Amino acid sequence: MARVAARIPDKRVLKLIRAFLNAGVLEDGLVRPVDEGTPQGGPLSPFLSNIVLDDLDKELARRGHRFCRYADDCNIYVRSHHAGERVRASISRFLTDKLRLKVNEAKSAVARPEERKFLGFSIANDGSERRIAPKALDKFKDRIREITCRTRGISLRQMIADLTPYLIGWRGYFGFCQTPRVLTNLEAWIRRRLRLYLWRQWRNGHNRFTELRRLGIAKFAASVAAGSPTGLWRMSGHPAVQHALRNQVFDSLGLPRIFMPVPAYSIEPPWYGPVCPVVWEGWRRETSPYPDQLRLCGAPHKRKGIDGLVALVRDAGSDPFDGALYVFRAKRADRIKIVWWDGSGVCLYLKRLEKAKFCWPRIGHHRVQMNPAQLMALVDGMDWKRVRTVAVKPPEIVG
């Protein structure tokens, strides 16, 4: 709490944090007191981790390491196995001696990037793609098996209604991966489980024949499928069953798709700090993950909102929906607004500097194109003219 108090002067917030820490944990209907640690699953755990491990971030940055950390999970990228062992021992001493923290040796290891998982993802060794970790896939399948259990005794529409919130939430997190084949295979697997459930619900051959005929299957094919003695899972992949229960049938019932094709002009969320070139965008990337087209507009934004700024972009002869970032500044150069299209809607970003001004080029009423690294420097209030790209070699070992 002393480290937290050094950052937060408000005693009311400190009192609330201490109350959370002393609240105890509910296990099997009984409240058990907690002597150490923080409650898991809430916002307090990553909040306190960021405060305590801020010194670790500064130490890693001072040493020049490439790393990525979220809460108490941290990956450090080096070039060899020997360097990984050396850095692991050094950082463990730093955490134990200076920060007085206990390192979980069971979860700590030196391995290649694709052999380790981070926040449910694993990274290819050359940093070329983000993959869903095997444990995350196993957990997803276990949850789907639980929802689509063949003995639930509910309608197919109700089962899809139960699946929808989980699939949408899972897609919102893991849809950021770069392995579309995995997502399409999961979609096919879910539809096959729903076909299995419906095939079992039809029970006997007479009902199955009637339902197949109702869905447009030929009489001979329906009779062969209805009279087949094979198991449920194998019949869920039968051509007659698949032809009767096509993908469009599940789409009409509201089953969400996991794989959503991303338009060419869509924008990935910005990632700042030394994390950016390490995990999400790969080591071979030399600039920040902004769109390829960045334009500075000289007209001041005054008090305009999204509609007004979009109108200014159109008045300048540009298309506000082409995926480019359009940056506007105030007359005093202490505020900027950025407008862009992310594939589903127009986004607005606003930033104000309290004690400085943005280094704005002399563009008058024209436009200036900048590369992504220069824009990041401008948004951070630095001199964007001095930005130079630096090539980074791919990692070989992660520890």
Side-chain angles (χ1 to χ4, degrees):
M1 289 297 296
R3 192 180 296 269
V4 178
R7 294 292 189 91
I8 304 176
D10 195 336
K11 294 184 178 180
R12 295 173 299 174
V13 177
L14 296 176
K15 185 178 180 180
L16 179 63
I17 293 175
R18 182 173 291 278
F20 269 108
L21 296 177
N22 297 332
V25 178
L26 184 65
E27 291 184 353
D28 300 328
L30 299 176
V31 178
R32 180 177 61 85
V34 177
D35 299 330
E36 59 182 2
T38 60
Q40 298 297 312
L44 185 61
S45 178
F47 169 73
L48 296 179
S49 298
N50 287 335
I51 292 179
V52 174
L53 296 178
D54 183 59
D55 292 339
L56 174 63
D57 295 343
K58 295 179 180 179
E59 178 67 15
L60 293 174
R62 185 186 66 82
R63 298 185 185 186
H65 291 313
R66 297 286 178 173
F67 69 96
C68 182
R69 184 185 65 80
Y70 177 81
D72 58 349
D73 261 352
C74 184
N75 282 4
I76 305 173
Y77 297 86
V78 294
R79 296 186 179 182
S80 65
H81 189 275
H82 178 72
E85 294 289 354
R86 175 178 53 80
V87 172
R88 177 189 175 186
S90 175
I91 295 300
S92 297
R93 288 194 302 270
F94 176 82
L95 292 173
T96 304
D97 299 340
K98 186 170 183 179
L99 300 185
R100 300 183 183 277
L101 299 175
K102 183 178 179 181
V103 179
N104 190 339
E105 298 293 342
K107 294 184 178 180
S108 302
V110 178
R112 300 184 69 84
E114 64 183 13
E115 298 174 3
R116 305 293 295 177
K117 72 178 185 70
F118 184 74
L119 302 180
F121 290 92
S122 61
I123 313 299
N125 288 333
D126 59 353
S128 59
E129 65 179 12
R130 299 176 294 272
R131 305 168 183 171
I132 303 176
K135 288 186 178 180
L137 290 176
D138 294 340
K139 185 178 180 180
F140 171 78
K141 289 186 176 182
D142 290 340
R143 178 58 179 160
I144 296 299
R145 290 189 184 99
E146 180 183 347
I147 298 176
T148 60
C149 179
R150 64 184 69 177
T151 59
R152 291 193 64 186
I154 60 177
S155 65
L156 182 64
R157 186 178 297 275
Q158 180 60 40
M159 180 171 289
I160 291 178
D162 296 341
L163 277 172
T164 298
Y166 180 73
L167 293 179
I168 292 177
W170 193 88
R171 180 187 66 191
Y173 185 83
F174 289 101
F176 186 58
C177 72
Q178 296 174 319
T179 52
R181 178 60 61 87
V182 175
L183 300 181
T184 55
N185 289 342
L186 288 176
E187 287 181 352
W189 178 75
I190 293 173
R191 288 192 293 265
R192 186 167 180 178
R193 286 197 60 85
L194 294 177
R195 294 188 185 103
L196 178 149
Y197 179 81
L198 202 58
W199 187 256
R200 184 186 184 278
Q201 202 173 53
W202 291 342
R203 290 189 174 277
N204 53 52
H206 175 73
N207 291 340
R208 290 168 179 172
F209 176 80
T210 303
E211 294 293 337
L212 290 176
R213 289 289 293 157
R214 184 179 63 83
L215 293 171
I217 304 301
K219 185 176 181 179
F220 176 77
S223 61
V224 171
S228 176
T230 55
L232 297 176
W233 178 251
R234 187 173 179 181
M235 283 305 301
S236 64
H238 193 278
V241 179
Q242 288 187 337
H243 184 74
L245 301 172
R246 292 176 175 269
N247 299 353
Q248 292 79 1
V249 174
F250 299 106
D251 292 339
S252 64
L253 293 175
L255 181 68
R257 295 292 185 102
I258 299 178
F259 173 65
M260 302 292 290
V262 180
Y265 51 77
S266 66
I267 304 171
E268 294 182 356
W271 301 87
Y272 296 96
V275 177
C276 166
V278 178
V279 175
W280 301 112
E281 295 302 326
W283 280 76
R284 299 186 183 278
R285 186 158 187 165
E286 298 180 354
T287 57
S288 59
Y290 282 104
D292 294 330
Q293 298 295 326
L294 307 168
R295 301 186 177 97
L296 298 181
C297 303
H301 61 72
K302 297 181 181 178
R303 294 185 178 181
K304 293 184 180 294
I306 292 181
D307 295 336
L309 296 178
V310 169
L312 289 178
V313 174
R314 287 175 174 170
D315 294 340
S318 300
D319 182 12
F321 307 107
D322 60 357
L325 285 175
Y326 293 91
V327 187
F328 298 84
R329 66 168 175 85
K331 289 184 177 179
R332 293 183 295 179
D334 62 339
R335 287 171 293 170
I336 62 171
K337 290 183 179 180
I338 305 177
V339 179
W340 75 93
W341 171 262
D342 69 344
S344 60
V346 181
C347 303
L348 175 63
Y349 173 82
L350 168 65
K351 183 172 183 179
R352 182 181 68 182
L353 295 180
E354 297 295 339
K355 299 181 180 180
K357 294 184 178 181
F358 292 99
C359 184
W360 198 262
R362 298 180 180 179
I363 57 178
H365 296 285
H366 303 285
R367 294 170 299 169
V368 172
Q369 290 195 5
M370 306 173 66
N371 62 39
Q374 291 174 335
L375 178 68
M376 178 177 287
L378 185 145
V379 171
D380 290 339
M382 299 184 295
D383 188 358
W384 58 273
K385 300 178 183 179
R386 300 184 179 182
V387 173
R388 300 291 185 271
T389 57
V390 179
V392 182
K393 295 183 178 180
E396 297 180 358
I397 298 295
V398 57

